Each structure stands twice: as C-alpha cells, then as structure tokens.
Amino acid sequence: MLKIEMDGVQYTSDSGETILESLRRQGAQVSYSCRKGACQSCIQRLAQGEVKTSHAGARALLTNGHVLACVCVPCGDIRLAPPDAEHRSVEAEILGSRWRTANVIEIDIAPNRELKYSAGQHIEVILEDGLIRPYSIVSLPQENYFFTIQVRHYPGSGVSHWLAQHAAPGQRLQIRGPSGDCWYQPRMRDRPMLMLATGVGAGALLGITRDALEQGHVADIYLYHGVRGSKDLYLEREFRELQTQFPQFRYGPYVSGNESSAEFGAGRILPPAFDNREVLSNWEIFLCGNPDMVEEARHMAIVAGARRERIHADPFLPSTPGAPNDAAKIAGITQDPALWAELKYGPGLTEILTDFYGRVYADDRLAPFFQHVTVERAVRKQYEFLADLFSGKRNFFGMNPYNAHHWMVISDELFDYREALFERVLGEHGLSESATRRWLGLHELFRAEIVKHSPRGIFTDGVEQPLLTDAIEHLEIDTVCDACGQEIPARAASRYHYRTGELHCGQCAGIPPH
C-alpha cells in the first residue's frame, strides 16, 4: 500500500489508482474538473517521489516537478505540495489581433489578474479541448495592462489554427505562466549580448532588446534574424529604427532562400554570428526559434567558451517529439588527437571518469539514475563511447545517447547541473581550457537526445518501441522477492521491473489477491 502525503496528512493509494482517485476516495480537499488532464485544475507540485501516467498520451511531469493528479499514478510513496503560482492557469480575454505577414498574426491578450512578466518569457495558451501551446511575449509590461504574442499560423494545426481563424475580441481562454529564462536582467548591463532568432523568434528578441535598451544597457548587442524568404523579415523596420537610435545595437537580417539583396545577408545566421568570436565567456547568449538552430548555436557557444548560465534558449519545439538524431551526429564527429593526447591516450580519461562518477554516485540528484549499475560499469561504458570519438577508432558497440537515456526524465536544468559538476572535475585534473570547451561541446551535441519531460521507448531501425516499465508475471519456478526477501512460490503473481530487473512479490507490488 503506497502513501501520499499532502498538507501534512497521509493518504493511501491502491495499485494503479491515480493520485486524484486516491485523494477523493479518502475525502481530501483537492480541486478537479475534467479528470482527463485537460483543465489543469488538479495540478500539484511533486515534492518527493516519482509518478507515471495512467494512460497513453498524458505527460507525467510538467515543468519544474509539477504533476496533474488526475492522470498520474504514484510509483512509490510521494509527497505533494501546493503548485507554484506560475503553474496555475488563469482566465484571459483576447482584445484584438492583426496580421504582420500572410502567416504571422499578432494577438493582444488581457489576463483577468495582474501577471508579472518580462518580454521574452512565454505563456501557455490552453484551449477547451486540452490543447496547450507556449508563445513568447513580445511586449513590455510597462506599456499596457495586456501583453502581446506573435503566432505563426500552421493551417489545421491545433492552437495556432484556432488563434488565427477562430479567436476574436472578447473571446475567453485559459493561460498559464509566464515562465522561461529568456528575458533581460539588470546584471547583464555591462556584458555584450549575442542574439539569434529564426522566424517568429525575432518577436521575443525584439522585446528583450527594447527592454535592455530602456534599462540602459551599455555593452554591444548583436542580433541576427534568419528566415527563408525576405517577406518573412517582418520586424525589419523596428530593428533598423533601434539601430539608428542606439549605436550599441547591430541588426543582421539573413535569408537562406534563393534571393539576393544589399538589404540582407545570404545564407544561415550561424556562420556570421560566430565568426571572429572565439571567446564568449563574458557574453550573454539569447537563442529563440527553430530547435535545430538553437541546438547547433548552443553547441557553438559552449565550444567558444560561453557559460551555461549565460545561455538563454527558447527552442520552438513541435507538439510531438520526433526521432533522435544521435547516430548522424556521431557519424559527423571527427577525431580529436590533441584532446586524446592530453588524456594520455586513455589513462587520463579513466582517471577523470572514475573521479566524476565517484561524485555522481554520492550526489542525491544524480545517483538515482544509476540504481543497480556499478560505478565500474558506468565508467567503462562512458570510456568506450568517448574513447571512440576522441581517437576515431569507432569500436563502440553500445547504445547511442538517446537509447541509453530513453527512460530517464531529465530537464535542461538537471543536464546543466551534471555538466557543471563535470566541468569542475576537468578543471581539477588540469585539462586545458581549449580541450575542456571541446569536450563540453561534445556533450552539448546530445542535449536534445537526453533532455525530456517523460520517458520514451527505445528506437530500433528508426521506429520507437513501446515503453516497457513493468509487467505482472507468473513464473514457473520458485524465486525470491527483491524487496522483502520472502519466497515467491511458482505461478504466484509478481511484478517484474524492466529497467532495474527487480522482481517483487504480490504483497510488495500491491497486486490484489484473487
């Protein structure tokens, strides 16, 4: 019998019962409405423990450890806490809209209570049918009592189609937020800023730029906007006006399609943005738009020495996750003989990994990902993977990064936490600054394959397999429960856990007797 603690009171949970069902059954006071994960009214913060979803398609974890009680089932004892303010949805009203291009619409939205926000943060628009989509705020809070978002219309595609074709002044909707760290802060005042946007990501960066300049930013600001066709440079006038008014601001429009003009550059924005900028340790980096651009730019920034805490990224991810791309990334990595030499052609790599994983296994946040895996095995598998890439031998036959982490729920913040620990270890072992950057940049290449909000299945031959978590088994032989150590008689119900290989008897697994 599992336990749920909420408001200092303990409740029990039967096997397979959602958090909401358990709480309601025992008279707990908890808000709810739709009971299918759409209205968000049952949101809680998961202060301790783990949960899984009760049905396919639902997300177990929202941002920053928040869960929906109606679609989540405890994996063990859990403790709940009230949700943070930004995770509670509020009602809002559409005030007006206008088309900026043939497929970009600008919408003014007024929440029914005051929201504290900064330009560049995003709010989530929640429709009645449960569809949710984040949109960046392009306006400044001091300008009006409402805020403005810019939306690229994808015909027939969910929230953007509804906003473009059906939303009208006076229309009510639910919003949640704001959230995100893509916004200007006064501590950045004396640091140069490199800003890259594709498509409607330029709207968020325009708001951030205006905010910075109004707050007296004195260092240089370089903003690059990449689009496919010149007609998509819908904010060119606003950017050029800022460039005329503020000498520290420079605007670079780039068109990747088959067009040429003295008014814009040709090609992608990444080469000109990073040319002649070999050291970015003191820069603030803002990346907004296409996730491939954001991923590649983040990698280039890390290699150029940018600090992780000074990279502010807002990739416009698709509503459904795609296939991993780690195999292609690995194929494109060239050997690094200079780094391999610094690692003494192997022994130095072993020393660093042994030190690092020793600290990982002693870390409360990282150690849970290595249950039932010895330190020696973790070091060996990581050594084999990295030694292949550094030396160019290509003898590694283990899992690629996505499949190796497919069941792990890892946030960007946790990824950065792990990388910060790794960087400290590299520094203590005397690795050169240039080699450190290249190594950290290599890790950064695989962020998109590792960071995720919910577990996923392994990919085999390009096809995602069903996620195997646990199953009720009736073994033909007597065995022993890994939890209580008692005998499990042959053909008795037990629960097998695929990830850990553990087997639990019916009592420990919460399997009701027949």
PDB file of all heavy atoms in Angstrom, residues 4-11 23 28-30 44 79-83:
ATOM      1  N   ILE A   4       0.530   8.682   0.204  1.00  0.00           N
ATOM      2  CA  ILE A   4       0.546  10.025  -0.386  1.00  0.00           C
ATOM      3  C   ILE A   4       0.424  11.034   0.753  1.00  0.00           C
ATOM      4  O   ILE A   4      -0.554  10.998   1.507  1.00  0.00           O
ATOM      5  CB  ILE A   4      -0.620  10.231  -1.378  1.00  0.00           C
ATOM      6  CG1 ILE A   4      -0.543   9.228  -2.521  1.00  0.00           C
ATOM      7  CG2 ILE A   4      -0.613  11.655  -1.918  1.00  0.00           C
ATOM      8  CD1 ILE A   4      -1.729   9.283  -3.453  1.00  0.00           C
ATOM      9  N   GLU A   5       1.406  11.912   0.873  1.00  0.00           N
ATOM     10  CA  GLU A   5       1.345  12.944   1.910  1.00  0.00           C
ATOM     11  C   GLU A   5       0.993  14.282   1.267  1.00  0.00           C
ATOM     12  O   GLU A   5       1.619  14.709   0.286  1.00  0.00           O
ATOM     13  CB  GLU A   5       2.688  13.068   2.630  1.00  0.00           C
ATOM     14  CG  GLU A   5       2.666  14.116   3.739  1.00  0.00           C
ATOM     15  CD  GLU A   5       3.996  14.250   4.454  1.00  0.00           C
ATOM     16  OE1 GLU A   5       4.750  13.254   4.502  1.00  0.00           O
ATOM     17  OE2 GLU A   5       4.297  15.352   4.948  1.00  0.00           O
ATOM     18  N   MET A   6      -0.038  14.944   1.801  1.00  0.00           N
ATOM     19  CA  MET A   6      -0.449  16.244   1.301  1.00  0.00           C
ATOM     20  C   MET A   6      -0.970  17.077   2.457  1.00  0.00           C
ATOM     21  O   MET A   6      -1.789  16.598   3.255  1.00  0.00           O
ATOM     22  CB  MET A   6      -1.544  16.102   0.223  1.00  0.00           C
ATOM     23  CG  MET A   6      -1.899  17.427  -0.450  1.00  0.00           C
ATOM     24  SD  MET A   6      -3.158  17.258  -1.741  1.00  0.00           S
ATOM     25  CE  MET A   6      -4.621  16.998  -0.727  1.00  0.00           C
ATOM     26  N   ASP A   7      -0.476  18.301   2.582  1.00  0.00           N
ATOM     27  CA  ASP A   7      -0.881  19.200   3.667  1.00  0.00           C
ATOM     28  C   ASP A   7      -0.676  18.572   5.042  1.00  0.00           C
ATOM     29  O   ASP A   7      -1.482  18.772   5.960  1.00  0.00           O
ATOM     30  CB  ASP A   7      -2.349  19.629   3.496  1.00  0.00           C
ATOM     31  CG  ASP A   7      -2.589  20.420   2.228  1.00  0.00           C
ATOM     32  OD1 ASP A   7      -1.652  21.084   1.761  1.00  0.00           O
ATOM     33  OD2 ASP A   7      -3.708  20.346   1.705  1.00  0.00           O
ATOM     34  N   GLY A   8       0.384  17.772   5.187  1.00  0.00           N
ATOM     35  CA  GLY A   8       0.686  17.163   6.468  1.00  0.00           C
ATOM     36  C   GLY A   8      -0.143  15.948   6.806  1.00  0.00           C
ATOM     37  O   GLY A   8       0.004  15.362   7.884  1.00  0.00           O
ATOM     38  N   VAL A   9      -1.041  15.518   5.909  1.00  0.00           N
ATOM     39  CA  VAL A   9      -1.899  14.353   6.143  1.00  0.00           C
ATOM     40  C   VAL A   9      -1.462  13.237   5.210  1.00  0.00           C
ATOM     41  O   VAL A   9      -1.154  13.475   4.040  1.00  0.00           O
ATOM     42  CB  VAL A   9      -3.381  14.696   5.903  1.00  0.00           C
ATOM     43  CG1 VAL A   9      -4.258  13.477   6.134  1.00  0.00           C
ATOM     44  CG2 VAL A   9      -3.814  15.856   6.796  1.00  0.00           C
ATOM     45  N   GLN A  10      -1.457  11.990   5.712  1.00  0.00           N
ATOM     46  CA  GLN A  10      -1.080  10.852   4.899  1.00  0.00           C
ATOM     47  C   GLN A  10      -2.315  10.095   4.409  1.00  0.00           C
ATOM     48  O   GLN A  10      -3.236   9.829   5.190  1.00  0.00           O
ATOM     49  CB  GLN A  10      -0.168   9.899   5.673  1.00  0.00           C
ATOM     50  CG  GLN A  10       1.262  10.395   5.803  1.00  0.00           C
ATOM     51  CD  GLN A  10       2.220   9.301   6.212  1.00  0.00           C
ATOM     52  OE1 GLN A  10       1.798   8.236   6.647  1.00  0.00           O
ATOM     53  NE2 GLN A  10       3.516   9.550   6.073  1.00  0.00           N
ATOM     54  N   TYR A  11      -2.308   9.782   3.117  1.00  0.00           N
ATOM     55  CA  TYR A  11      -3.366   9.004   2.487  1.00  0.00           C
ATOM     56  C   TYR A  11      -2.741   7.753   1.880  1.00  0.00           C
ATOM     57  O   TYR A  11      -1.531   7.700   1.624  1.00  0.00           O
ATOM     58  CB  TYR A  11      -4.070   9.810   1.406  1.00  0.00           C
ATOM     59  CG  TYR A  11      -4.643  11.127   1.887  1.00  0.00           C
ATOM     60  CD1 TYR A  11      -3.878  12.296   1.836  1.00  0.00           C
ATOM     61  CD2 TYR A  11      -5.928  11.194   2.400  1.00  0.00           C
ATOM     62  CE1 TYR A  11      -4.394  13.502   2.283  1.00  0.00           C
ATOM     63  CE2 TYR A  11      -6.450  12.401   2.853  1.00  0.00           C
ATOM     64  CZ  TYR A  11      -5.683  13.554   2.793  1.00  0.00           C
ATOM     65  OH  TYR A  11      -6.187  14.755   3.246  1.00  0.00           O
ATOM     66  N   LEU A  23      -6.985  10.478  -3.419  1.00  0.00           N
ATOM     67  CA  LEU A  23      -7.320  11.600  -2.540  1.00  0.00           C
ATOM     68  C   LEU A  23      -8.827  11.768  -2.405  1.00  0.00           C
ATOM     69  O   LEU A  23      -9.347  11.992  -1.296  1.00  0.00           O
ATOM     70  CB  LEU A  23      -6.672  12.881  -3.073  1.00  0.00           C
ATOM     71  CG  LEU A  23      -5.133  12.907  -3.099  1.00  0.00           C
ATOM     72  CD1 LEU A  23      -4.631  14.186  -3.751  1.00  0.00           C
ATOM     73  CD2 LEU A  23      -4.561  12.775  -1.688  1.00  0.00           C
ATOM     74  N   ALA A  28      -9.977  13.919   0.753  1.00  0.00           N
ATOM     75  CA  ALA A  28      -9.060  15.063   0.713  1.00  0.00           C
ATOM     76  C   ALA A  28      -9.673  16.191  -0.101  1.00  0.00           C
ATOM     77  O   ALA A  28     -10.385  15.963  -1.087  1.00  0.00           O
ATOM     78  CB  ALA A  28      -7.728  14.643   0.104  1.00  0.00           C
ATOM     79  N   GLN A  29      -9.388  17.421   0.309  1.00  0.00           N
ATOM     80  CA  GLN A  29      -9.880  18.594  -0.404  1.00  0.00           C
ATOM     81  C   GLN A  29      -8.903  18.947  -1.517  1.00  0.00           C
ATOM     82  O   GLN A  29      -7.830  19.512  -1.283  1.00  0.00           O
ATOM     83  CB  GLN A  29     -10.029  19.774   0.567  1.00  0.00           C
ATOM     84  CG  GLN A  29     -11.047  19.533   1.666  1.00  0.00           C
ATOM     85  CD  GLN A  29     -12.443  19.299   1.106  1.00  0.00           C
ATOM     86  OE1 GLN A  29     -12.943  20.075   0.289  1.00  0.00           O
ATOM     87  NE2 GLN A  29     -13.074  18.214   1.538  1.00  0.00           N
ATOM     88  N   VAL A  30      -9.253  18.585  -2.740  1.00  0.00           N
ATOM     89  CA  VAL A  30      -8.388  18.853  -3.886  1.00  0.00           C
ATOM     90  C   VAL A  30      -9.259  19.293  -5.051  1.00  0.00           C
ATOM     91  O   VAL A  30     -10.324  18.733  -5.302  1.00  0.00           O
ATOM     92  CB  VAL A  30      -7.559  17.594  -4.253  1.00  0.00           C
ATOM     93  CG1 VAL A  30      -8.452  16.397  -4.506  1.00  0.00           C
ATOM     94  CG2 VAL A  30      -6.659  17.870  -5.438  1.00  0.00           C
ATOM     95  N   GLN A  44      -0.510  19.765  -8.987  1.00  0.00           N
ATOM     96  CA  GLN A  44       0.179  19.744  -7.706  1.00  0.00           C
ATOM     97  C   GLN A  44       1.685  19.726  -7.971  1.00  0.00           C
ATOM     98  O   GLN A  44       2.134  19.326  -9.041  1.00  0.00           O
ATOM     99  CB  GLN A  44      -0.195  18.497  -6.895  1.00  0.00           C
ATOM    100  CG  GLN A  44      -1.663  18.390  -6.536  1.00  0.00           C
ATOM    101  CD  GLN A  44      -2.074  19.364  -5.453  1.00  0.00           C
ATOM    102  OE1 GLN A  44      -1.285  19.687  -4.573  1.00  0.00           O
ATOM    103  NE2 GLN A  44      -3.318  19.833  -5.516  1.00  0.00           N
ATOM    104  N   ARG A  79       5.161  12.803  -1.832  1.00  0.00           N
ATOM    105  CA  ARG A  79       4.727  13.950  -1.028  1.00  0.00           C
ATOM    106  C   ARG A  79       4.371  15.081  -1.980  1.00  0.00           C
ATOM    107  O   ARG A  79       5.145  15.424  -2.873  1.00  0.00           O
ATOM    108  CB  ARG A  79       5.828  14.379  -0.059  1.00  0.00           C
ATOM    109  CG  ARG A  79       5.459  15.582   0.812  1.00  0.00           C
ATOM    110  CD  ARG A  79       6.407  15.698   2.019  1.00  0.00           C
ATOM    111  NE  ARG A  79       7.790  15.804   1.601  1.00  0.00           N
ATOM    112  CZ  ARG A  79       8.395  16.953   1.282  1.00  0.00           C
ATOM    113  NH1 ARG A  79       7.716  18.094   1.316  1.00  0.00           N
ATOM    114  NH2 ARG A  79       9.673  16.966   0.918  1.00  0.00           N
ATOM    115  N   LEU A  80       3.178  15.652  -1.795  1.00  0.00           N
ATOM    116  CA  LEU A  80       2.686  16.728  -2.644  1.00  0.00           C
ATOM    117  C   LEU A  80       2.760  18.060  -1.925  1.00  0.00           C
ATOM    118  O   LEU A  80       2.679  18.129  -0.701  1.00  0.00           O
ATOM    119  CB  LEU A  80       1.247  16.455  -3.077  1.00  0.00           C
ATOM    120  CG  LEU A  80       0.974  15.148  -3.816  1.00  0.00           C
ATOM    121  CD1 LEU A  80      -0.514  14.989  -4.072  1.00  0.00           C
ATOM    122  CD2 LEU A  80       1.749  15.101  -5.138  1.00  0.00           C
ATOM    123  N   ALA A  81       2.905  19.122  -2.695  1.00  0.00           N
ATOM    124  CA  ALA A  81       2.918  20.482  -2.154  1.00  0.00           C
ATOM    125  C   ALA A  81       2.080  21.366  -3.073  1.00  0.00           C
ATOM    126  O   ALA A  81       1.818  21.005  -4.223  1.00  0.00           O
ATOM    127  CB  ALA A  81       4.349  21.000  -2.060  1.00  0.00           C
ATOM    128  N   PRO A  82       1.628  22.518  -2.580  1.00  0.00           N
ATOM    129  CA  PRO A  82       0.837  23.415  -3.438  1.00  0.00           C
ATOM    130  C   PRO A  82       1.640  23.827  -4.671  1.00  0.00           C
ATOM    131  O   PRO A  82       2.866  23.986  -4.593  1.00  0.00           O
ATOM    132  CB  PRO A  82       0.559  24.618  -2.527  1.00  0.00           C
ATOM    133  CG  PRO A  82       0.674  24.082  -1.136  1.00  0.00           C
ATOM    134  CD  PRO A  82       1.742  23.030  -1.204  1.00  0.00           C
ATOM    135  N   PRO A  83       0.992  24.007  -5.803  1.00  0.00           N
ATOM    136  CA  PRO A  83       1.714  24.391  -7.022  1.00  0.00           C
ATOM    137  C   PRO A  83       2.254  25.807  -6.922  1.00  0.00           C
ATOM    138  O   PRO A  83       1.693  26.660  -6.226  1.00  0.00           O
ATOM    139  CB  PRO A  83       0.646  24.280  -8.117  1.00  0.00           C
ATOM    140  CG  PRO A  83      -0.649  24.487  -7.394  1.00  0.00           C
ATOM    141  CD  PRO A  83      -0.459  23.869  -6.033  1.00  0.00           C
TER     142      PRO A  83
END
